[in-house]
Amino acid sequence: RITVMDMHRMRFPDARFDALYSCHSLEHNFNREAVLREFARVVRPGGFLAIEVPVRFTPTESDRDDFGSAEGLRAAFAPYIGDVLLSEEFTDNESGGTSARLIALRT
């Protein structure tokens, strides 16, 4: 099932999911802190946050938020995560650009 909603104000209850996976969507946010809080809020403590975003790009009206690097992505999520299982940058074969990936446990 697919549920469409605003990532800034998700309608899910707190700690609803064991994992959240976001691939090339977080860069479209209008309020980074609101989305980071929402992503963390819907994942149970000890659950997984798996995030992938493009980095080092020129922001536009649609691609609004550049985390800059894998470390920048990790730092943004730092208040909400404990153990980091993976933090890396890689060349995106589809776009040719650079992306960052973070997989971490929710505190």
Side-chain angles (χ1 to χ4, degrees), residues 75-92:
F77 275 96
Y80 309 105
I81 60 174
D83 292 341
V84 173
L85 306 175
L86 176 74
S87 179
E88 67 178 358
E89 292 183 28
F90 60 97
T91 300
D92 187 319

Side-chain angles (χ1 to χ4, degrees), residues 7 21-29 39 50-55 57 62-63 90-95 97-101:
M7 68 178 152
Y21 173 67
S22 173
C23 183
H24 290 261
S25 58
L26 185 55
E27 69 274 12
H28 303 293
N29 78 78
F39 279 19
I51 312 295
E52 185 175 305
V53 293
V55 292
F57 63 90
S62 62
D63 294 328
F90 60 97
T91 300
D92 187 319
N93 292 331
E94 189 173 314
S95 71
T98 302
S99 291
R101 186 178 292 141

Side-chain angles (χ1 to χ4, degrees), residues 6-8 26-32 35 61 64:
D6 183 348
M7 68 178 152
H8 299 82
L26 185 55
E27 69 274 12
H28 303 293
N29 78 78
F30 288 96
N31 181 331
R32 177 188 286 193
V35 175
E61 279 191 42
R64 305 172 54 82

Side-chain angles (χ1 to χ4, degrees), residues 5-22 34-49 51 77 80 106-107:
M5 68 182 70
D6 183 348
M7 68 178 152
H8 299 82
R9 288 183 310 268
M10 293 189 276
R11 297 185 306 263
F12 300 116
D14 294 355
R16 172 68 175 93
F17 300 103
D18 293 329
L20 179 139
Y21 173 67
S22 173
V35 175
L36 297 177
R37 276 192 310 273
E38 280 296 281
F39 279 19
R41 181 186 67 77
V42 301
V43 175
R44 68 165 175 79
F48 295 90
L49 288 163
I51 312 295
F77 275 96
Y80 309 105
R106 165 81 166 83
T107 54

